[in-house]
Amino acid sequence: MDDSYRSTDEIVAQCSSDNKDVHLTVSQMRLLDSGYFSNVYSGVAKADSSHEMNIVIKKTWHLKTCRFRELDILRSLGNFQHKNVAQLLYTYTTEYEARVCLSLIFEYEPQNLYQFLKENNRRLDIFEVKLITWQLFRGQYHIQKSRICHRDIKPQNLLYNADTGHLKICDFGFASILSDSTPLASYRVTRYYRPPELLLGSKFKFYSCDVDVWSCGCVFAELLKGGVFLAGNSATNQAELIFDALGCPTEEDLTAMQVSNTEYQEIMTGYRPDPAGRTRNFSFLYDQTVNTQWDRRTFVRNNKINEREMRESVDLLRQILVYNPERRLSGINLLTNEYFDDLFFSNMMRSNGRVPCLSLADFQAVETGDETVSQESTA
């Protein structure tokens, strides 16, 4: 389908809020993205006696015998209508012989974080970085409390409204509901954002949502740096970059990550530490030397953050990106950290002068558990 394609369709969909059938007229369909597992379209939908709304439709193919795991997860998350998680509006299925096309309909958002960063030449001021990071960890915390592991948090899967600064986590195609009986695969999570326990083959344990905390930390670091934080050219090299930055894991770390000793030893056999220690402890983010400026791994492109702001940011980052999954700073302890006080207790503003997506009510909701926060209640 080319970019100018248009189509109109009449469908019967199920409303996610009450499971009732709704007749929808879908028009102005356009292909937004295509991938190995799904296609994504934008369009306009109108239900009987309601106004038109811009939508996105994600279509995925399944065998008739398969359970729609992503749909189960989205329905579970929809019970709380959390403002930092994309909300499912409608669903419908179409059958073709032995396969089923599942269509998931969401409200349209014009941009993701990856596109926003690209438009801004990957240079954001510290307030914008804090605004994005706080919402990201808040959404992740909500997902974690539902025992759901996203397993693919990255800028492309974060919707971002450039006008309001509102962020939502989306695309739960790789997500899984944690189980006490079923181990999860270790190859999930896009390489740059994959935590060390998965890189080292932790597929025999029932790993936790702390894998998402690592991914969120990598996104935070990417905002600071103005480029992918740790860009390995293979899974092995990705692990080696982490070793360079954090040092090799201790026996205690390996036990906490419950990694495959075989895979760890294979990586260590070929690992050659960076003698210059350029990425060690992330200090290159605020200490740019000739040595680091000429290395693409350590060149800081984002020049909108001063040294003091960067040092404060790195202090927090060092508490997030650690080997032991249980010691990664997240949840209420991170969201109420004084690093984010500027968002709620200062006169700082975004560059466009607007911060309608956050208020003191959001901070207070987090302090009390953030159980039933909806988009409407904090708008």
Side-chain angles (χ1 to χ4, degrees):
M1 183 186 301
D2 65 55
D3 190 50
S4 61
Y5 179 85
R6 298 290 193 278
S7 68
T8 300
D9 201 5
E10 302 287 334
I11 60 175
V12 177
Q14 288 71 52
C15 181
S16 63
S17 61
D18 56 17
N19 253 357
K20 292 183 179 179
D21 287 348
V22 177
H23 291 267
L24 293 177
T25 300
V26 180
S27 60
Q28 302 179 40
M29 293 288 290
R30 175 181 295 184
L31 180 66
L32 283 182
D33 191 22
S34 60
Y36 187 80
F37 298 103
S38 63
N39 288 339
V40 180
Y41 303 84
S42 66
V44 176
K46 185 179 185 303
D48 296 337
S49 67
S50 70
H51 65 282
E52 290 186 341
M53 68 179 301
N54 294 322
I55 60 164
V56 167
I57 303 179
K58 178 182 179 181
K59 295 190 174 186
T60 57
W61 289 91
H62 305 262
L63 293 173
K64 285 186 177 181
T65 55
C66 290
R67 184 171 182 84
F68 300 143
R69 184 184 62 194
E70 184 176 6
L71 178 56
D72 291 340
I73 288 171
L74 289 168
R75 282 175 171 167
S76 175
L77 291 172
N79 292 332
F80 292 100
Q81 298 285 303
H82 195 279
K83 66 184 291 184
N84 296 124
V85 178
Q87 300 300 311
L88 178 67
L89 301 178
Y90 305 100
T91 64
Y92 66 97
T93 57
T94 310
E95 296 188 5
Y96 298 90
E97 298 180 353
R99 300 184 71 82
V100 176
C101 178
L102 171 65
S103 297
L104 306 170
I105 302 179
F106 303 87
E107 188 173 359
Y108 176 74
E109 292 287 352
Q111 198 173 48
N112 62 40
L113 183 59
Y114 175 83
Q115 294 164 329
F116 175 75
L117 289 171
K118 190 174 180 180
E119 279 187 4
N120 287 273
N121 204 21
R122 295 184 172 271
R123 294 177 171 92
L124 304 181
D125 63 37
I126 193 62
F127 190 83
E128 197 80 10
V129 170
K130 290 181 179 183
L131 179 67
I132 293 169
T133 302
W134 193 87
Q135 293 180 89
L136 171 57
F137 275 96
R138 185 190 190 187
Q140 184 277 324
Y141 179 49
H142 173 73
I143 293 168
Q144 180 173 352
K145 288 190 296 182
S146 301
R147 291 186 57 78
I148 292 169
C149 191
H150 186 282
R151 300 198 295 175
D152 201 22
I153 287 178
K154 57 184 178 181
Q156 292 90 332
N157 289 339
L158 304 173
L159 302 175
Y160 194 63
N161 187 314
D163 183 43
T164 65
H166 189 180
L167 179 140
K168 299 178 187 177
I169 299 174
C170 68
D171 197 342
F172 287 80
F174 285 161
S176 182
I177 299 174
L178 295 186
S179 168
D180 293 329
S181 59
T182 306
L184 302 176
S186 63
Y187 58 85
R188 296 300 189 193
V189 187
T190 300
R191 184 196 310 141
Y192 298 159
Y193 310 91
R194 193 178 303 165
E197 62 266 33
L198 299 194
L199 292 166
L200 298 176
S202 179
K203 57 189 174 185
F204 304 111
K205 75 180 283 279
F206 309 134
Y207 58 75
S208 69
C209 295
D210 295 312
V211 300
D212 288 341
V213 174
W214 178 278
S215 300
C216 290
C218 289
V219 173
F220 174 34
E222 185 169 337
L223 300 178
L224 298 170
K225 181 184 176 184
V228 175
F229 188 55
L230 299 171
N233 53 34
S234 67
T236 296
N237 183 236
Q238 190 70 30
E240 292 172 340
L241 294 182
I242 294 174
F243 294 169
D244 279 344
L246 299 183
C248 292
T250 64
E251 288 295 331
E252 180 184 354
D253 293 328
L254 294 173
T255 300
M257 292 187 287
Q258 297 191 37
V259 301
S260 164
N261 188 60
T262 300
E263 291 196 35
Y264 174 64
Q265 292 301 330
E266 286 179 357
I267 293 175
M268 289 302 297
T269 298
Y271 172 55
R272 299 294 179 268
D274 173 20
R278 282 169 285 221
T279 61
R280 181 63 61 91
N281 295 324
F282 318 140
S283 58
F284 70 91
L285 286 170
Y286 55 79
D287 186 16
Q288 283 284 283
T289 65
V290 173
N291 215 12
T292 56
Q293 287 174 338
W294 285 98
D295 190 327
R296 69 174 183 83
R297 295 173 301 172
T298 53
F299 174 65
V300 177
R301 187 173 184 176
N302 187 4
N303 57 9
K304 288 192 172 183
I305 300 177
N306 63 41
E307 182 179 337
R308 177 187 60 79
E309 295 166 341
M310 192 68 86
R311 283 181 179 274
E312 292 174 351
S313 301
V314 170
D315 283 344
L316 186 69
L317 185 64
R318 286 170 177 160
Q319 298 176 66
I320 300 169
L321 297 183
V322 298
Y323 283 122
N324 189 328
E326 294 183 356
R327 292 180 182 172
R328 291 172 190 159
L329 184 64
S330 64
I332 292 179
N333 291 333
L334 181 137
L335 296 169
T336 57
N337 189 284
E338 63 181 4
Y339 176 79
F340 295 107
D341 283 357
D342 290 338
L343 298 177
F344 306 100
F345 309 110
S346 78
N347 295 320
M348 289 182 67
M349 299 289 287
R350 298 180 69 216
S351 58
N352 67 3
R354 303 190 64 201
V355 198
C357 63
L358 281 188
S359 70
L360 186 58
D362 290 282
F363 183 83
Q364 293 168 338
V366 164
E367 281 190 309
T368 57
D370 211 14
E371 295 296 336
T372 56
V373 180
S374 69
Q375 295 176 23
E376 293 76 19
S377 66
T378 55

